Amino acid sequence: MHGENAGLDLHVLYRNWRTAERPTHLPLYDEVVLGRTGRAGNHTALVRALSDGTFVFAHAGPAFEEWIGGEAAGRNIEALPPDCAHVLLDGLEEALRQKQPVHLVAYPERSGYVRAYDLVIFPLSSRWGGPLLLAYARPRMEKYSLVDAIFASTTGGLMALAPVRGREGVVDDFRLVALNQGAADLVSQSIDALRWQRLTDLFPHLRGTGAVDQLVQAWRTKAAVEFEFSYPSALGGVRYFSMRASAMEDLVSASLIDVTEIRNREESFRLLFQDSPLPMFVYCPETMQMRDVNAVAVEHYGYSREQFLSMSLLDIRPQEERERVRQILAQPTIPSDTGDIWKHLKADGSIIEVRVYSRQVDYQGQAARLAVVVDVTEQRKTEARISFMAHHDALTALPNRVLFLDELRRTLRHVERHEQPAAILCIDLDYFKDVNDTLGHPVGDKLLQQVSGRLRGALRENDLVARLGGDEFAVIQRDLAEPGEAGMLSDRLIAVLSQPYDVDGQMVVIGASIGIAMAPTDGESADALLKNADMALYRAKDEGRGTFRYFQPEMDARVKARRALEVELRGALVVGEFTLRYQPFVSVETGKITGFEALLRWNHPERGMVPPIEFIPLAEDIGLIVPIGEWVLRQACRDAAEWPEDMRVAVNISAVQFKGQKLANLVASALTMSGIEPGRLELEITESVLLHDSEANVAVLHQLRALGVRISMDDFGTGYSSLSYLRSFPFDKIKIDQSFVREIVDNSGDAAIVSAVVGMGVSLGISTTAEGVETAEQLERLRAEGCTEVQGYYLGRPMPAGEAQKLMARQS
Ligand SMILES: Nc1nc2c(ncn2[C@@H]2O[C@H](COP(=O)(O)O[C@H]3[C@@H](O)[C@H](n4cnc5c(=O)[nH]c(N)nc54)O[C@@H]3COP(=O)(O)O)[C@@H](O)[C@H]2O)c(=O)[nH]1
C-alpha cells in the first residue's frame, strides 16, 4: 500500500466521522464506514467494547491482521502481542472517554526490525446497541533494525564475536561478525575493514595475554567477564581498553571502552606520588585506613611501608587531635586545607608540626583522599624564636616591655572580671650606674643577669617579672588579698637584691628602689599604671633609695608641676630671662679680690629671682643645661672682658656639658669672642665629671687645659672625694665645700678635714679656696690653716655685674 493512498483513506474516515458527528450521539458505524471506505477496510478493525470493560474484535481487514500477527474476529485485545495490545487499549479507552478520534503511534518489533504504525481510533455508536470503535492501523515507510539502533545509540564500542575453532575443534579465537562505529573509531579503522576479521589477526599481541582465554570462558560458561588490554595505536603510543563480554547462544557480545586517559592519569599520579619530594599518603576517608604511602613519607616518619599500610590516619596523630580529625572527615565536604598546623607522630615518638593539603582522588577504582604533608617544624621553631626575641630581653631572657604591657592588659581584664586587685612594681637598681662606669659594661651585664635570676626566684609562679630596659625591672603581682602584700613583696625584693653579688670573683653591692601602683585604683590602662608606678619609684629614689613607695595621686601633681617648669625653662632661654650674679673670691694673703664666680639666676616675671638649685637639676635632667651653660660661659667671658686684666672669672660647668665632646670648642669660641686671656677663665667642675665616663671627660679636661684655662675641683669633700680624682688630672684649685667651713670653728672634725685638704693642696702645688665664709672667725681659722683664697657672704654676696665692677674700681 502506498503512503499517499493510505493518507487518502484516513482522510475519508475523518471526514465521514466529522460529517456524522452530532452533539447528542457519536456517528453510527455505517455513516462512517459502510460502502464508502473502499481500501480503508483493509487497514481497519471493528472493535466492540464489552460491559466488563474489555474489548473484542468484531472483524479486521488483512493489513490490520498482519499488524496484530493473526486472525482478529472474536479475539480479546488483551490476548494480542504486548506491542499491539498496550497501544490499542490506550487508544480505545481514550477515544471512549473523549468521544473523539484519537491518534497514536505504535512500534511493534518483528524479527529484529521495528516499524512505526499510525493508529487512529474512531469512537462510534451502533443501531443494535453498545459502543463500537473503529481502529485504523497504517504502517509508515521507515523500518529500523533493532541491532542497528542499539549499536548506533552509543559512541562506546559494541561488537558481536563468533567463536573460531582450531584444528582440534577447540575454540581458540573469535571473529568480528558485527560491530558499531564506536568500536571501529576506537581502533581507528572502518567497520568494513574490521568485520569478519579474526580477533587475533587484528590484535596479534592479544595472544598470550589471557584476553582470548577470558572470551572463551565467557562463551563456554555464559558468565560475563571483564578485562583490560592494551593496543599499539596506529597514531603512535599505546591505548588501553576495557572489555566486558557475555555470551548469547553461540555469539559473544562485547562492549569496549577506551580507558587510556584514566590509565595515563593513574600513571601520572603514580609518578607524582612516588617521585614527590614531599611526604604523601592515600587513605580511605571513611575508615581512615592508609592505602598507599610514598617513599619520602616512609623515610620522613620512620615507619616501614608495611607498618604505614597497617595504620589508620589517626595513628599518626597525637591523642588530643584525633577527635578533631574525625569531625573534619565527617563533614559532607572535606576541606582541602583547614589552614591549621597539625601535630604528627613519628615512629620514634617525636612530634612534628605539619600543614596538610588533601584532595579527593580515585584510587584503584575507589574514592580516597590524597594527603600531601609539609613539615613546618623548623619554620615554626624559627618563628617561635623570632617571636621570643621580639617579646624578651636578649640579656636576661626576661619578658621585655612589649610582652609586659600585653600581660598587664590581660591582667587588667582579669582584675575587672574577678575583682581581685593586682600590683605593678617598678624596680630600679641603686648604684648600678656606678658599677657600670667603674667596673665596665661586661660586669654590669653579668650583674643584671644575676639580678633577673634573683627576681625570678623571689616571685610566685603566678607573678611576672620583666626587664623594661637598663637597670629597670617591673613585676606584675596578681590576685592580691590586700594592697599590703605589694609592700611585703617589695621589702623582700629589696632585701634579696641588696645581698652582695659575686661577679667573676668581684664582690659587688647594689640596692633597689621600688614604686608600686595598684590595679584598678591607680589606673585603668596598662600605660597609666606603669606611669604611676614609675612616679612612685622616683619618689622612693628621691627619698633615700633602698625603699618602696606606693603611688599617691599628689605625685602626679608633682610631675605635672615639673613638666610646667620644663616648659617655662625652655621659654626663659628664648626670651632672655636668665641673668648672672658675681661673688668675689679674695686672696687670704693680700685681702684683695682676685676674681668673681659667675652664679646663674632666673629672673622669673612672676616669681622674681629664682635660685639655680630650683631649676639646674631639671635643666640637667632634660639636657637644657647645655644651651644654658653656653649662655653663662659666653656672658661671663663678655663681662670679664670689661674688668681689670688681672681679675679672673669662674664659671660652673655641669657634668652633662662634657657629653658630646664639644666643650673645648665652646670654651675656645667664648675666649675668642670676648677676647679675654685664657688664664683669666676658671672652670669649676664637680667630682661627678670624673665619676661618669671618666676617661673621656679627663681627655676633655686636657683639651681645656691645652687652651690655657684653669680648672677647679668644686665642692671638694662632698660626694666620693676620692683622692684618685686629684691624681687623674692636675687641678689648679680645690674649692673646700662650705659644709666644712661652716663648723670649722666649733667642730674639730671639720677643722681637721679642712686642714688635711689645705695640706694636700700645698704638697700637690694646688691652691685652695674655702667657700661659704660667713664670719671673721672662720676667716682667721682658714688663714691659720694656710688656705689660699676665701669666698663667702663675709667677703661679698653674689651681686649684679655692675656692682661687681664698682667694687673692682674701688679696690684699684
Ligand atoms: N652648672 C652650673 N651650676 C651653677 C651655675 N650657677 C650656680 N650654679 C650652682 O648652683 C648651686 C647653687 O648656687 P647658688 O644658689 O648661686 O649658691 C651659690 C652661692 O650663692 C652660695 N654661697 C656663697 N657664699 C655663701 C655663704 O657664705 N653662705 C651660704 N649659705 N651660701 C653661700 O654657694 C653657691 C656657690 O656654690 P659653688 O658653685 O659650689 O661655689 C651651686 O652648686 C652652684 O654651683 C651655673 O651657671 N652653672
Side-chain angles (χ1 to χ4, degrees):
M1 193 180 92
H2 294 104
E4 213 175 290
N5 288 338
L8 206 58
D9 294 345
L10 195 55
H11 175 72
V12 171
L13 288 174
Y14 263 115
R15 195 193 58 205
N16 292 352
W17 195 91
R18 293 277 174 228
T19 309
E21 186 187 10
R22 297 287 180 277
T24 50
H25 63 269
L26 289 166
L28 285 164
Y29 170 74
D30 41 10
E31 285 176 314
V32 178
V33 178
L34 280 183
R36 287 178 236 162
T37 51
R39 284 183 304 264
N42 197 22
H43 292 279
T44 57
L46 190 63
V47 179
R48 266 207 299 274
L50 303 184
S51 54
D52 61 359
T54 59
F55 298 91
V56 174
F57 283 113
H59 61 78
F64 196 98
E65 286 188 330
E66 189 185 322
W67 175 54
I68 62 171
E71 200 177 329
R75 229 168 134 186
N76 196 304
I77 303 292
E78 284 172 5
L80 297 181
D83 53 4
C84 295
H86 291 307
V87 68
L88 259 174
L89 283 171
D90 285 350
L92 294 167
E93 283 165 0
E94 190 63 13
L96 278 182
R97 206 175 53 75
Q98 286 190 23
K99 298 188 176 18
Q100 287 289 322
V102 171
H103 186 171
L104 305 98
V105 181
Y107 297 95
E109 183 267 335
R110 300 286 179 274
S111 309
Y113 285 92
V114 173
R115 183 159 212 172
Y117 276 74
D118 284 306
L119 180 65
V120 184
I121 312 289
F122 297 92
L124 303 170
S125 54
S126 76
R127 295 177 197 285
W128 53 88
L132 282 178
L133 296 116
L134 183 71
Y136 174 91
R138 183 189 69 185
R140 290 182 180 173
M141 289 304 291
E142 322 85 70
K143 148 170 138 171
Y144 311 97
S145 159
L146 205 53
V147 173
D148 286 349
I150 294 167
F151 270 29
S153 68
T154 173
T155 52
L158 295 173
M159 56 184 73
L161 302 167
V164 176
R165 288 176 173 75
R167 278 193 205 130
E168 285 155 19
V170 177
V171 174
D172 61 359
D173 203 350
F174 289 86
R175 196 183 292 285
L176 263 86
V177 293
L179 71 158
N180 71 348
Q181 191 59 46
D185 290 345
L186 284 176
V187 292
S188 307
Q189 296 196 44
S190 70
I191 291 177
D192 288 344
L194 294 167
R195 202 164 181 200
W196 308 116
Q197 298 290 319
R198 279 178 175 231
L199 204 56
T200 54
D201 287 346
L202 286 171
F203 308 113
H205 67 288
L206 282 188
R207 288 180 210 280
T209 61
V212 175
D213 295 343
Q214 297 246 37
L215 289 171
V216 170
Q217 188 195 335
W219 172 78
R220 190 184 307 117
T221 62
K222 311 289 183 235
V225 294
E226 194 166 356
F227 59 92
E228 276 187 24
F229 65 94
S230 59
Y231 167 67
S233 165
L235 304 169
V238 175
R239 301 206 71 78
Y240 297 88
F241 296 110
S242 167
M243 182 174 268
R244 186 180 159 77
S246 55
M248 292 173 64
E249 301 300 331
D250 202 35
L251 289 181
V252 170
S253 78
S255 64
L256 199 61
I257 303 170
D258 188 339
V259 292
T260 310
E261 265 190 40
I262 298 170
R263 292 295 158 263
N264 285 346
R265 262 209 306 274
E266 282 176 0
E267 182 62 9
S268 311
F269 171 77
R270 199 185 61 74
L271 289 174
L272 174 85
F273 189 71
Q274 286 306 344
D275 296 350
S276 161
L278 294 172
M280 286 181 167
F281 47 81
V282 176
Y283 63 92
C284 169
E286 279 166 19
T287 63
M288 292 183 241
Q289 186 62 39
M290 292 287 186
R291 299 197 50 204
D292 205 350
V293 60
N294 73 356
V296 179
V298 168
E299 194 188 324
H300 200 80
Y301 284 83
Y303 304 109
S304 69
R305 189 177 159 75
E306 291 65 36
Q307 280 175 315
F308 240 127
L309 296 181
S310 70
M311 288 162 72
S312 124
L313 187 61
L314 297 182
D315 294 332
I316 58 165
R317 309 279 185 161
Q319 196 66 40
E320 67 271 15
E321 283 191 357
R322 294 185 181 174
E323 187 47 41
R324 195 157 133 56
V325 174
R326 275 196 202 98
Q327 284 170 6
I328 288 176
L329 292 183
Q331 292 172 23
T333 317
I334 303 171
S336 60
D337 171 22
T338 57
D340 295 337
I341 304 281
W342 296 95
K343 289 191 169 70
H344 278 187
L345 263 175
K346 286 172 73 163
D348 62 6
S350 62
I351 289 195
I352 52 172
E353 293 188 276
V354 297
R355 285 187 80 95
V356 180
Y357 303 88
S358 73
R359 54 171 291 200
Q360 182 81 27
V361 289
D362 185 62
Y363 183 78
Q364 294 177 343
Q366 286 182 327
R369 279 197 88 77
L370 166 71
V372 182
V373 175
V374 179
D375 188 335
V376 294
T377 315
E378 279 311 309
Q379 182 195 334
R380 295 270 291 175
K381 277 188 191 159
T382 309
E383 282 169 6
R385 267 198 299 275
I386 292 169
S387 167
F388 185 86
M389 281 158 66
H391 294 97
H392 291 81
D393 166 51
L395 180 68
T396 61
L398 287 179
N400 63 11
R401 184 180 287 268
V402 175
L403 184 53
F404 179 81
L405 285 171
D406 279 352
E407 286 294 320
L408 189 48
R409 285 183 200 107
R410 214 165 56 82
T411 304
L412 284 179
R413 289 195 291 276
H414 179 83
V415 165
E416 199 180 336
R417 268 199 303 276
H418 302 279
E419 293 184 5
Q420 194 122 34
I424 290 86
L425 280 61
C426 268
I427 305 167
D428 194 85
L429 302 182
D430 300 334
Y431 317 115
F432 173 75
K433 203 163 167 13
D434 298 348
V435 174
N436 234 0
D437 288 343
T438 51
L439 301 178
H441 286 234
V443 172
D445 284 353
K446 285 179 185 159
L447 180 60
L448 288 172
Q449 284 168 338
Q450 290 196 24
V451 165
S452 64
R454 288 189 189 185
L455 285 170
R456 264 201 206 104
L459 294 173
R460 295 176 306 176
E461 240 179 54
N462 195 24
D463 301 331
L464 178 119
V465 58
R467 183 180 172 214
L468 303 187
D471 60 347
E472 224 187 308
F473 295 82
V475 167
I476 302 175
Q477 191 184 9
R478 297 180 172 119
D479 297 332
L480 297 185
E482 48 107 13
E485 285 182 26
M488 286 192 269
L489 175 63
S490 299
D491 262 341
R492 207 166 65 242
L493 293 181
I494 290 168
V496 164
L497 297 177
S498 304
Q499 296 299 312
Y501 296 80
D502 179 350
V503 184
D504 293 342
Q506 296 196 68
M507 199 59 89
V508 178
V509 180
I510 54 166
S513 304
I514 298 179
I516 304 167
M518 299 299 302
T521 44
D522 294 340
E524 287 176 359
S525 72
D527 289 331
L529 279 167
L530 194 58
K531 192 190 87 188
N532 290 345
D534 214 38
M535 263 186 239
L537 168 66
Y538 277 97
R539 175 63 69 88
K541 286 171 85 85
D542 267 5
E543 292 179 4
R545 303 182 177 192
T547 183
F548 69 87
R549 288 288 177 271
Y550 282 93
F551 169 75
Q552 305 291 336
E554 67 268 17
M555 290 178 186
D556 197 21
R558 243 170 84 138
V559 169
K560 282 187 180 135
R562 191 179 136 99
R563 281 220 190 93
L565 181 65
E566 185 182 326
V567 172
E568 279 193 288
L569 203 53
R570 289 183 195 279
L573 185 64
V574 177
V575 298
E577 287 173 1
F578 291 117
T579 182
L580 292 180
R581 292 288 179 264
Y582 290 97
Q583 185 177 30
F585 33 86
V586 173
S587 161
V588 175
E589 193 188 338
T590 64
K592 290 199 164 180
I593 298 169
T594 52
F596 289 84
E597 179 181 359
L599 293 164
L600 181 63
R601 300 288 180 268
W602 178 5
N603 194 1
H604 193 279
E606 285 144 27
R607 292 161 61 192
M609 214 50 92
V610 182
I613 196 71
E614 288 185 26
F615 62 87
I616 282 192
L618 175 61
E620 286 179 328
D621 269 4
I622 61 176
L624 204 61
I625 193 68
V626 174
I628 293 176
E630 179 176 348
W631 178 85
V632 171
L633 180 71
R634 290 187 186 281
Q635 187 59 42
C637 289
R638 267 195 300 271
D639 288 343
E642 307 294 322
W643 302 348
E645 290 201 343
D646 59 345
M647 207 54 74
R648 284 179 274 125
V649 62
V651 174
N652 290 283
I653 303 291
S654 159
V656 180
Q657 288 174 268
F658 275 75
K659 286 190 183 134
Q661 319 266 310
K662 289 181 185 153
L663 187 59
N665 285 346
L666 170 67
V667 171
S669 163
L671 290 170
T672 311
M673 299 293 282
S674 62
I676 67 165
E677 282 298 312
R680 290 177 60 201
L681 177 62
E682 257 178 30
L683 301 179
E684 295 190 5
I685 64 153
T686 56
E687 287 169 339
S688 60
V689 169
L690 296 169
L691 191 66
H692 308 301
D693 301 320
S694 54
E695 275 181 34
N697 290 353
V698 167
V700 176
L701 286 174
H702 281 288
Q703 289 170 7
L704 295 169
R705 165 61 57 73
L707 293 174
V709 298
R710 290 161 58 85
I711 312 288
S712 309
M713 167 68 85
D714 200 2
D715 301 338
F716 193 77
T718 58
Y720 284 85
S721 299
S722 168
L723 295 181
S724 66
Y725 296 147
L726 296 179
R727 220 180 42 185
S728 61
F729 185 76
F731 287 93
D732 297 291
K733 186 200 266 191
I734 299 171
K735 290 186 80 178
I736 303 166
D737 190 69
Q738 51 182 284
S739 57
F740 302 106
V741 175
R742 199 172 296 133
E743 301 293 324
I744 192 169
V745 178
D746 304 321
N747 185 321
S748 57
D750 285 352
I753 290 171
V754 171
S755 171
V757 174
V758 171
M760 191 173 59
V762 171
S763 50
L764 289 172
I766 306 172
S767 65
T768 46
T769 300
E771 300 179 300
V773 181
E774 294 183 346
T775 65
E777 289 83 2
Q778 288 168 342
L779 175 60
E780 283 319 309
R781 190 63 193 263
L782 289 163
R783 189 194 304 278
E785 291 295 346
C787 190
T788 325
E789 271 177 351
V790 281
Q791 186 184 7
Y793 293 168
Y794 181 67
L795 302 142
R797 287 186 172 255
M799 61 193 81
E803 274 183 38
Q805 261 193 315
K806 281 182 202 155
L807 194 62
M808 282 181 270
R810 276 203 298 276
Q811 180 172 279
S812 60

